[in-house]
Amino acid sequence: MSIATQVHRKTRADLPATGTAPTHPRLVAWLDEVVDLCQPDAIHYCDGSDEEYEQLVTVLEEAGTVVRLNDEKLPNSIYARTDPDDVARVEDQTFICSEDERNAGPTNNWMAPAEMKRVMTKLYDGCMKGRTMYVIPFCMGHIDAKDPKFGVEVSDSAYVALSMRIMTRMGVEPLKAMTDTDADFVPCLHSVGMPLEEGERDVAWPCSETKYIVHFPDERMIWSYGSGYGGNSLLGKKCYSLRIASVMARDEGWMAEHMLILRLISPEGRKYHIVAAFPSACGKTNLAMLEPTIPGWKVETLGDDIAWLRFGDDGRLYATNPETGFFGVAPGTSYETNPNAMRTIAKGNSIFTNVGLTRDGDVWWEGMTKDKPEDILDWKGRPWSGSTGPQGGRKDEKAAHPNSRFCTPIEQCPILADDYHNPQGVPIDAIVFGGRRENTIPLVTQSRNWKHGVFMGATCSSETTAAAKGAVGVLRRDPMAMLPFIGYHVADYCQHWINIGKKADEAKLPKVFYVNWFRRDDDGRFMWPGFGENSRVLKWIAERVDGRAEAVETPIGFIPAAGSLDVEGLDLPEEDLRAVVSYSPQEWHDEVPRIGRWFDTFGWRLPRELVDELRNLEVAVGRAPSSMW
Ligand SMILES: Nc1nc2c(ncn2[C@@H]2O[C@H](COP(=O)(O)OP(=O)(O)OP(=O)(O)O)[C@@H](O)[C@H]2O)c(=O)[nH]1
Ligand SMILES: O=C([O-])CC(=O)C(=O)O
Ligand SMILES: [Mn+2]
């Protein structure tokens, strides 16, 4: 990577440094290269301590990037506003740079690794001038796991360092474990892409118009440039734990998935472990912390975004959460919809980004309270009032950006399951896929078997949300909710799912379900109340796992038989209930060709098993099988 073009380039030895420099030989060599390339003014080796947190908050405060929130309301918490153009993941600028283009597949952007490195090396050259470079050692998953997954992020953003401390096991402990075992690590290079010339004043949220979020799956390396926003800059999260880890998982026989993990406990005390894959901003965080409305049932949280699934010695699949925090969507989160998220945040130690700020140093966002506040600052820093909108803006402009987020430690979650601390994870009873569909997809469907479950996952679709830059509400296929996160060819990824099924006893495999909380009526209203009421669906799933609840077989799988879904005390007209639960032959008649067109994009690598499933479905809904297959 080194391009020593100038004469007076600084080396690591020239830089003022704070913290303890690492000794891990390959890390040392890599840091030397990064310094040579990026030319920071100073270097800080993160230890993850409370004192460091304090120092970095002060640095960010002085730079105008964050303000400290009211200590009585949200102790030890801070508030950040991003550049209005740096608010979400940038999928258009996200690349999988495999050596062979065919391994990136039709769903990823690709550039030859050597070419991408040329482009980015130019951008990185001198990109940290005037800034401090933070060295952030971390581990995704337990440090004492059988095969711990280490990484080191180098970033010129203190906001990133602080967020990584919440979201990952970060600092001296992972560094020591990595060094003691001479373990490999994923090098993660991040820069906001805004060097400062001598004497140049910084802006509150430095970033660049040019953005690249790049993965080198063959080398297991991540390069990110130009954005400070979470999903683009906290490289342990989506970049490592999904895109790079999905490639590791393919090679090592496990699965890295975009899933929440929860434990459901019946009134009799029977425990069920459920993982659920929904696209970004489609309800993972909410379901993970749900408060059941049905008496006697309880939910405990294990994770809200990412699950790593491995076979245990007993032949069952076990799930662990590689993260240590929640990076959750703020709008819509309230004591009514997600009280456990509110309680987690209320303990403080959190970072809030792009929400509204009250005059007394508290946060507010749409949906948090019924009444809108009168005099706060919006996410752009303008005075904002619930009745008139922002000063100088339109009345309907929101106080919080739709993708504004809270970043908060998982250990503060009042319903965290004890097994969160268990490196083995929990044995999975059910896998649930879901998406945001205004029609076609019923409230809950169970697959006939694993293979049919993989078909369900592979054909998942959802209307796009504000979590990624681009139009909102556009229907797209989102296989296993992994469309923007699969680090290789989508067809090979689906094949990997099928192969996982072949490795196990069907009886030991989790049962597979597909849910949709988002069906709408003719007036565009959600028909299903959702949130805590989703416990009724979880209960049906648990009873299906036990082979108890009754179901009706339809061409798309099993749906609840009349009376098998617990609706006691549910305030929902009978005809609405029927509409959300039912299978609509007409809608599926229209859906099938859309699935065919989606599979067409896979090319010749499309797994045979998926073709067979589509054929069966075509026949079952009364369409002639497409001649293509
Ligand atoms: N109508 C309805 N909306 C829901 C439900 N669950 C969540 N939502 C809304 O969906 C949006 C996103 O929910 P989250 O739980 O944050 O989604 P997520 O999948 O964790 O999103 P990421 O963190 O981006 O991966 C919020 O505005 C929620 O209020 C539900 O059951 N019904
Ligand atoms: O990655 C992010 O920016 C936030 C997130 O969880 C998602 O988009 O799914
Ligand atoms: Mn979430």
Side-chain angles (χ1 to χ4, degrees), residues 280-286 305 329 331 405 436 517-518 530-531 534:
S280 299
C282 291
K284 287 184 301 302
T285 301
N286 275 275
D305 197 44
V329 177
R405 300 259 168 179
R436 202 177 262 273
W517 315 141
F518 299 96
F531 301 100
N534 293 336

Side-chain angles (χ1 to χ4, degrees), residues 220-276:
R220 316 240 145 122
M221 180 168 87
I222 301 161
W223 282 8
S224 166
Y225 181 89
S227 169
Y229 167 76
N232 302 323
S233 69
L234 312 181
L235 302 186
K237 195 175 177 52
K238 306 292 200 209
C239 298
Y240 186 150
S241 296
L242 290 178
R243 297 196 191 96
I244 294 292
S246 65
V247 175
M248 294 173 162
R250 173 198 64 191
D251 295 348
E252 298 165 10
W254 51 283
M255 308 164 94
E257 300 298 332
H258 191 203
M259 290 172 168
L260 67 94
I261 315 169
L262 68 82
R263 168 182 290 163
L264 179 69
I265 309 175
S266 75
E268 301 77 40
R270 160 105 160 87
K271 291 176 181 169
Y272 304 85
H273 295 108
I274 299 176
V275 294

Side-chain angles (χ1 to χ4, degrees), residues 521-543:
D521 62 16
D522 294 339
D523 300 327
R525 274 193 304 261
F526 293 122
M527 286 192 281
W528 176 251
F531 301 100
E533 303 292 9
N534 293 336
S535 57
R536 300 173 188 277
V537 175
L538 293 183
K539 178 182 171 190
W540 188 79
I541 288 173
E543 291 177 347

Side-chain angles (χ1 to χ4, degrees), residues 73 134 136 149 237 244 295 299 315 318 321 327 375 380 409 424 434 439 465 491 495 589 629:
K73 303 203 151 129
Y134 298 92
I136 311 163
K149 298 296 186 197
K237 195 175 177 52
I244 294 292
V299 163
Y318 283 68
N321 171 11
F327 185 61
D375 178 28
K380 291 181 172 168
Q424 246 72 60
N439 51 42
T465 66
Q495 187 68 57
H589 194 264
W629 319 103

